[in-house]
Amino acid sequence: MGRFRGRSTTVLKPKSTHQVSQIMKWCYDKRIGVVPQGGNTGLVGGSVPINDEVVLSLSNMNNVRSFDPISGILVADAGCILQSLTDYVAPYNHIMPIDLGAKGSCQIGGNVATNAGGLRLLRYGSLHGTVLGLEVVLPDGTILDQLTTLRKDNTGYDLKQLFIGAEGTLGVITGVSILTPPAPQASNNVILALPSFNNVLPLYQTVKRQLSEILSAFEFIDRTSYDLAVKHGQGRALSDDEVAGAECFVLIETSGGRREHDEEKLSDLLGNLLEADKPLVNTGVLAQSPAQFSSLWALREGVTEAVSKEGKAYKYDISVPLSSFKDVVDGTREHLRAKGLLHDKAVKHVLGYGHVGDGNLHLNIVADAYLPEIQDALEPYVYEVVASHRGSVSAEHGIGAMKTHALHYSKSPVSIALMKKIKEIFDPRGIMNPGKVLEHD
Ligand code: FAD
Ligand code: S2G
Ligand code: ZN
């Protein structure tokens, strides 16, 4: 995403696990740094060399190894693009347990390496639960074959969990075994315009209660996010007067077993919301067709692209209590205003959107240009705000190169020391994605 540039001289694109093993053996012996690269959609600089490390791209390892339509267990090369796997399992009436705006480019190996969250985590959980096994090439070239398709295997330490979210710092993921859920018989979505952010929490409680098992996504975008998405052609879900007076928006998705049943539940919900004495929402648009279903999602998924078209983005992917989402966005805006940085030649917008059910806020600051005074105003300010809420400085995008200095805001010295011991065990020569996740002593 623009901010991170490397100077690598060599990109290797192996076609097999054996070739990855050969490459790692060579680089281990020669003490050459290696950066595993998937779709390069990461947002914290994890897939970009810091110096002249070799880039090891998994793009040429993109075959499905097996799929069991009964269990839904898929075994695929790490370089398979998420959208390709989604298309592969669809005819079998299965879906991938993960969905994110980068699905057209990101690879399942990169998703696992970053423990990507995304739009379906609320319903299908994290990759720590859906990944059944991994094949990993260790820094010295050893192939660790844990590519089990067993649902249960309680035999010793669950080593695969270490590589989920390790961001390529412990080994190269070459194969993934993942449980894909059955495709819902019926999916629907609705976008709701809220007069006040304060209504999001009570709305979330109402929606969880009324939709219960069919609720599969509950996404939030503030007014600035919505306006930028519309400005940059990411869809126009609501008319101007439907948008008037809206402070923020919520996108709800349902995925269930019977369309009539789900639609009845959704219509009842919408009716109750709009007829309440003190309505939590101004209005809502229920998707009436697959095209409209997609366009509602496009608006939410398109915020990232709209932000990058609007200017230079400072992105903070944080976990904080839902009740503080708005305060964190407004507080950051006021902090920048107090520093005299809120004007067209510096910071143009401060906006927030994200995955409500996961307590994950994407705080984005859009500037005219990357300026040291903006960076200095934002850090450590944002990280201290997150720490004051006992939140996480990285909810789903990882640490990469961008946040190594901020890890201590969310992990204790004891935790960081143990992580360094684990890194030492797997990568004693420090060739695996050097400079990412953990700071050098
Ligand atoms: P890359 O960017 O290539 O690499 C990411 C990290 O993983 C690097 O550290 C790299 O070294 C390592 N890596 C990659 N492949 C391997 C491998 N095979 N073995 C070992 N290490 C490897 N993220 C979310 O969590 N949720 C979202 O909702 C979300 N939405 C996004 C929307 C857009 C439009 C964009 C651009 C990004 C979004 N992201 C999101 C961030 C990004 O898409 C994810 O982090 C994704 O999982 C990265 O996958 P990738 O294949 O592009 O990995
Ligand atoms: C999302 C995408 C990246 C960003 O849209 O859920 O994870 O911060 C984000 O724009
Ligand atoms: Zn996200």
Side-chain angles (χ1 to χ4, degrees):
M1 292 291 279
R3 281 186 74 185
F4 303 97
R5 296 197 184 293
R7 295 191 319 277
S8 182
T9 59
T10 312
V11 178
L12 298 174
K13 306 184 80 169
K15 292 187 171 68
S16 70
T17 304
H18 177 67
Q19 285 184 356
V20 173
S21 172
Q22 297 296 89
I23 292 166
M24 292 314 303
K25 269 195 189 77
W26 173 266
C27 293
Y28 189 74
D29 291 345
K30 306 290 180 220
R31 295 176 186 266
I32 297 170
V34 177
V35 177
Q37 195 173 83
N40 222 3
T41 68
L43 293 158
V44 289
S47 59
V48 177
I50 299 237
N51 296 306
D52 59 354
E53 299 91 275
V54 163
V55 171
L56 191 157
S57 166
L58 282 298
S59 301
N60 281 343
M61 286 188 66
N62 55 12
N63 294 312
V64 170
R65 298 189 191 179
S66 68
F67 178 67
D68 173 357
I70 308 297
S71 65
I73 294 172
L74 171 75
V75 182
D77 286 349
C80 288
I81 291 172
L82 181 58
Q83 185 59 56
S84 307
L85 294 178
T86 300
D87 298 342
Y88 181 92
V89 299
Y92 300 95
N93 290 316
H94 277 78
I95 58 171
M96 291 303 284
I98 174 173
D99 183 24
L100 52 145
K103 56 182 159 248
S105 308
C106 64
Q107 299 174 4
I108 192 65
N111 295 151
V112 173
T114 55
N115 183 28
L119 306 163
R120 286 182 181 156
L121 188 134
L122 178 66
R123 175 67 175 273
Y124 298 107
S126 123
L127 290 172
H128 280 292
T130 50
V131 170
L132 300 175
L134 292 176
E135 178 189 73
V136 182
V137 175
L138 302 180
D140 66 359
T142 304
I143 297 173
L144 173 64
D145 179 359
Q146 292 219 326
L147 211 48
T148 174
T149 55
L150 299 173
R151 289 291 305 272
K152 290 184 160 180
D153 174 15
N154 229 349
T155 51
Y157 302 131
D158 190 357
L159 294 176
K160 69 172 180 299
Q161 298 297 351
L162 285 173
F163 299 97
I164 301 174
E167 301 180 59
T169 60
L170 299 181
V172 183
I173 297 167
T174 48
V176 177
S177 165
I178 189 166
L179 184 61
T180 70
Q185 301 292 313
S187 283
N188 211 329
N189 60 14
V190 56
I191 188 165
L192 301 171
L194 281 66
S196 161
F197 172 80
N198 298 329
N199 296 358
V200 172
L201 253 176
L203 176 65
Y204 183 45
Q205 287 166 312
T206 304
V207 166
K208 276 200 298 183
R209 197 172 54 251
Q210 291 204 21
L211 296 183
S212 67
E213 84 289 348
I214 66 170
L215 177 64
S216 53
F218 192 103
E219 296 288 312
F220 155 81
I221 64 174
D222 67 10
R223 181 61 186 265
T224 308
S225 306
Y226 180 90
D227 292 344
L228 285 182
V230 170
K231 174 181 174 184
H232 292 287
Q234 302 299 336
R236 172 181 292 279
L238 298 155
S239 65
D240 291 348
D241 49 5
E242 284 171 328
V243 169
E247 186 176 71
C248 64
F249 302 82
V250 161
L251 180 69
I252 294 167
E253 181 193 78
T254 60
S255 301
R258 260 173 13 95
R259 179 165 295 285
E260 309 75 52
H261 165 262
D262 299 356
E263 279 178 356
E264 189 186 336
K265 268 192 161 181
L266 257 181
S267 305
D268 290 354
L269 168 74
L270 263 179
N272 298 342
L273 287 172
L274 293 169
E275 285 147 27
D277 297 343
K278 290 178 69 185
L280 291 173
V281 302
N282 288 345
T283 183
V285 169
L286 182 63
Q288 300 301 324
S289 67
Q292 196 175 12
F293 176 87
S294 306
S295 76
L296 292 188
W297 266 122
L299 186 109
R300 163 61 186 87
E301 292 178 344
V303 175
T304 301
E305 189 179 331
V307 162
S308 55
K309 283 180 179 168
E310 182 71 10
K312 302 299 183 193
Y314 291 81
K315 292 177 154 312
Y316 294 93
D317 154 47
I318 55 181
S319 286
V320 289
L322 172 59
S323 53
S324 62
F325 273 24
K326 186 168 185 311
D327 295 345
V328 169
V329 177
D330 291 351
T332 303
R333 189 181 298 114
E334 290 321 308
H335 173 74
L336 291 167
R337 193 192 310 277
K339 297 256 181 195
L341 288 170
L342 207 61
H343 54 77
D344 249 5
K345 286 284 163 256
V347 172
K348 299 160 76 175
H349 306 285
V350 178
L351 57 138
Y353 54 98
H355 318 284
V356 166
D358 319 341
N360 180 186
L361 171 66
H362 292 305
L363 168 67
N364 277 226
I365 293 88
V366 187
D368 187 49
Y370 290 124
L371 298 173
E373 50 270 38
I374 297 175
Q375 177 77 26
D376 294 342
L378 289 170
E379 294 181 27
Y381 168 80
V382 171
Y383 296 134
E384 285 165 350
V385 167
V386 171
S388 72
H389 290 289
R390 289 182 62 80
S392 170
V393 297
S394 179
E396 58 179 9
H397 297 164
I399 297 293
M402 176 182 163
K403 302 182 182 178
T404 51
H405 65 289
L407 187 61
H408 68 86
Y409 286 104
S410 295
K411 284 293 179 299
S412 68
V414 172
S415 298
I416 295 175
L418 271 175
M419 290 186 207
K420 289 184 174 175
K421 284 189 177 162
I422 290 170
K423 169 75 177 176
E424 181 61 25
I425 290 170
F426 282 96
D427 181 24
R429 296 184 179 178
I431 65 161
M432 244 12 285
N433 221 354
K436 313 289 174 48
V437 182
L438 297 172
E439 276 188 316
H440 280 303
D441 290 329

